[in-house]
Amino acid sequence: MKNKTFFAFVSPSVIIMILFIAIPLVTVFLQSFYVTQTVYQTVKVETCTPSFPTSICTTTEKSVPVLDENNHPVTETVYVGLDTYKSVLETDKVSKLIDSGRFFDVFTNIDFYKALSFTLLFTLITLPLVLGVGLAIALAVNNVSKRMKGPVIFVSLLPFIITPIIGALSIKWLFVSNGLLTRVLEKITGHEISVFANSWSIELLMVFYRVWHVAPFAFVLFYAGLQSVNKDTLESAIIDGASRFERIRYVVIPHLMPLIYFVTLIHLMDTYRVFEEIIGFASQAHVISLQWLTYDFLEPDDTGNRAISSASASSMLTMVGIIILLAPVLKRTLRDQKKG
Amino acid sequence: MEDDTPKALRQTPLLKIGSYGFLALWALIAAFPLAWIFVMSFKLPIDAFAQNPLEVIFGPNTAQKDSAFSIIDILLGGAFAYYAYQIPMRFYRTTLDYFVPVQNKSMGAFALGLSYIFILVGFAFYVLPVVSHVLNGIFHSISALSLLAKPLIGYTLQHYYSVWVENQFYIQFKNSLIITFGVVTISLTVGTLAAYALSRTASNLAIWLLIIALVFRALPHSVLVTGYLPFFINSKEILEPLWSMPVIGWLLSLFSETPPTLYGQPLAVIAVLVAINQPFTIWMLRSFFMNIPKELDEAARVDGCTHFQAFRKVILPVMWPGLITTGLFSFLLAYNDYLVTSLLLDNQNQTMVPAISAYFNRETTATDQVNAIAAAASITAPLFILVVFFQKQIVSGLTAGAVKG
């Protein structure tokens, strides 16, 4: 294909991606160095209360927003350098905590580090679970008769395509104070249980939700991969005396390796974005994630202001994180594509 | 049936039982939370949050205060569902040939399907209740069989009524439809063109485009929304200069008198979601195009087609499975989105998924809770139908990305 036709075909897509992905990224980068705020002026206000013989007057200094001719508050945008990053990272608080020897409190007390540590831990803990559960279901379906395949895939697709928020809610409703499973657990243990009062139990439930939601994807891929395992290799492994487990370990898993690698790539991308669980479980008081942090800055606060600058700074930091996480994987993809 | 697997590859009974048991457990875990909200959404709050799970399923209080199914009704409904599914399987071909004898059958098939759905709905709403009433009456009078006519499973449509009619959920449903329809059509149109070109070129530029698309695919959506939000809110002032320019301004004023405020515009959200979806669409469609032999379009080119003609007349007709699959995934992205729509749309234009947060934030009374559950079940229903009809396409889509990924 000639370059000219290539560009003709690709350009609509490229233009959309430049307009709606690349340019916003640049503006986010710039926004993170500027703060837009309402301009205030200090006004001396004299308030007088009628009294005898003369009225008592007090003069106070008040800061009021400057209004333009249409009575809208005037805003100005100032360059603040890295100040917004400092306020998002709360460097002062961190150094204070470290100085007082409470290093680990950084990850429980300060929003950004709390979100960062949860996001990373969550991503790394769910990954092996998703791979393991997906592989187990795929092997089990492969073991039983072909007729089971359709129904199992049908049921498995349900948690996968469900709206993430609804999926999280459907699990939450089982564990709310008057929910079914809370009652069962209370009956078994004899204690009163409130799952949504502790961060560890919420995190456990989030891990469960994520595995429930993503394992079907791994299962479908691995099952497809299992269909092309070389039967001869399997048989020769048996002749060599390999046990069932050894056959899986040395024949099946190496065969599935490209797929495992693919699921890992997609899982890292998607789980780093963890967000819907926080909304669905309404866990912001206990557990927050990086994407939720940005979302929270963007939501209007009580006075109707959106902290765009802070949101930009936390976005940039989030982005740096995912690029670091994906760098090795991207490098490999680039190599694979070049090989063709 | 003769088992033709070699003896050494056969499984011990224990392993077989273990596999079945594990799958049963997984099926239960996979379906239970969703099945449970479906059951709860039809019960009065007192039954929905009852101590005893059996009470949640059978809903004795709901049966007393509202309506209930007897065993006869359940059998009747089951038979109806079975035949409603079987009849088109058996008689679809012959009926189609009878009514639409012409060559081009797609419109005829569509009309036939639509009329079948109308007949089913009419039957379910007008004929079934009468039949059930008569049968229940008959069985009720026979004392030995009266148990079959006893109300067994209580249900109420009250929560769905209050969600859809009183709280006007249909407005959000309409908004969701507009957004998903827009996202699916635009991303497929733009995506197929790019993916086709990328699948037929091995230049460095093409590879770098793919890698950049992959990086874009990894970006958290909140990062992008941070970029849009200030612009969307102030777009009226920012775009003002464009409208006052001589020629461009005149052109633009044909579309709207003043520069639009993009915040709260469904069209703007469609554009944003298309962009977010674009990297994924390109990768998936490209992997489908890779499976179409190059010789096909080369043959068309030899016959004198331009690249675009070859694409339109030769490649597109064999691309339908890939398009449907990619369309399904675009649909899921747009339909399930919470973050973008909740930040960029205001209350009037809100779609279903963000709107549901209004329900669960309000969960003060038990009725509110069940209303929220009914809203959640309503959002899930179209997805359920999607899996029923498109299971094969979804599976092929899941595996497509991995083959050449």
Side-chain angles (χ1 to χ4, degrees), chain A residues 63 146 168 213 313:
Chain A
S63 70
K146 274 258 158 36
H213 179 56

Side-chain angles (χ1 to χ4, degrees), chain A residues 1-2 5-7 9-10 12-14 16-17 19-22 24-25 27-28 31 133 136-137 139-145 148-167 169-174 176 178-180 183 187 208 211-212 215-217 219-221 224 231 234-235 238 244 247 259 262 265-266 269-270 272-273 275-276 279-280 290-291 294-295 298-299 306 308 311-312 315 318-319 322-323 326 330 333-334 337-338, chain B residues 6 8-12 15-16 19-20 22-23 26-27 29-34 36-37 49-51 53 186 190 193-194 196-198 200-201 203-211 213-230 232-233 263 268 271-272 274-276 278-279 282-283 286 307-308 311 329 332 335-336 338-339 342-343 353 356 360 363 369 372-373 376 379-380 383-384 386-388 391 394-395 398-399 401-402 404-405:
Chain A
M1 193 178 270
K2 269 187 262 148
T5 32
F6 177 73
F7 281 121
F9 272 97
V10 177
S13 180
V14 170
I16 283 186
M17 285 201 283
L19 265 183
F20 288 97
I21 301 181
L25 280 186
T27 58
V28 170
Q31 274 167 22
V133 173
I137 303 170
L139 286 172
V141 173
N142 213 30
N143 274 349
V144 303
S145 76
M148 287 289 290
K149 181 191 140 197
V152 172
I153 290 183
F154 176 79
V155 173
S156 303
L157 283 180
L158 291 177
F160 174 69
I161 58 136
I162 190 86
T163 311
I165 297 242
I166 309 276
L169 279 174
S170 72
I171 286 173
K172 180 192 167 188
W173 281 322
L174 291 176
V176 289
N178 51 2
L180 176 73
R183 293 230 165 108
K187 216 164 239 172
F208 171 78
V211 175
W212 178 75
F217 166 62
F219 150 57
V220 170
L221 277 183
K231 285 262 156 57
L234 268 185
E235 272 177 47
I238 294 170
R244 193 166 287 277
R247 266 177 278 156
L259 293 177
F262 178 73
L265 169 72
I266 298 289
M269 286 180 180
D270 288 349
Y272 188 76
R273 289 202 272 253
F275 169 72
E276 267 96 352
I279 300 281
L290 283 175
Q291 178 149 250
T294 311
Y295 176 84
L298 287 176
E299 283 269 89
R306 299 169 196 262
I308 300 286
S312 306
S315 291
T318 310
M319 219 175 79
I322 187 68
I323 288 174
L326 284 183
L330 285 176
T333 313
L334 185 64
Q337 291 297 327
K338 279 201 171 146
Chain B
L9 282 178
R10 274 189 217 154
Q11 295 144 356
T12 56
L15 187 71
K16 205 113 195 174
S19 300
Y20 275 111
F22 178 71
L23 285 182
W26 162 248
I29 292 174
F32 185 75
L34 302 174
W36 199 247
I37 63 168
F49 290 105
Q51 283 273 358
I186 300 177
V190 178
L193 289 174
Y196 172 67
L198 287 170
R200 293 294 184 258
T201 327
S203 66
N204 260 338
L205 183 72
I207 289 168
W208 275 107
L209 267 178
L210 282 169
I211 296 290
L214 198 65
V215 175
F216 284 169
R217 159 86 172 71
L219 289 179
H221 300 166
S222 64
V223 176
L224 298 171
V225 176
T226 313
Y228 306 130
L229 202 56
F232 275 23
I233 291 174
Y263 176 76
V272 169
V274 166
I276 289 178
Q278 203 51 216
I282 292 177
W283 271 88
R286 177 176 167 269
H307 260 297
F308 187 74
F311 171 71
F329 281 84
L332 286 180
Y335 188 84
N336 288 343
Y338 177 89
L339 199 146
S342 78
L343 281 173
V353 178
I356 197 184
F360 64 74
E363 270 180 27
Q369 278 194 18
I373 293 173
I379 296 177
T380 315
L383 295 174
F384 183 79
L386 215 67
V387 181
V388 171
Q391 182 178 335
I394 296 175
V395 169
L398 287 179
T399 40
K404 298 273 177 185

Side-chain angles (χ1 to χ4, degrees), chain A residues 16 20, chain B residues 178-179 183 186 228 231-233 235 239 260-276 340-341 344-345 349:
Chain A
I16 283 186
F20 288 97
Chain B
I178 294 174
I179 299 233
V183 170
I186 300 177
Y228 306 130
F231 176 72
F232 275 23
I233 291 174
S235 65
L239 293 175
T261 300
L262 292 173
Y263 176 76
Q265 290 285 336
L267 269 179
V269 173
I270 289 176
V272 169
L273 286 175
V274 166
I276 289 178
V340 176
T341 41
L344 295 182
L345 287 176
N349 290 323

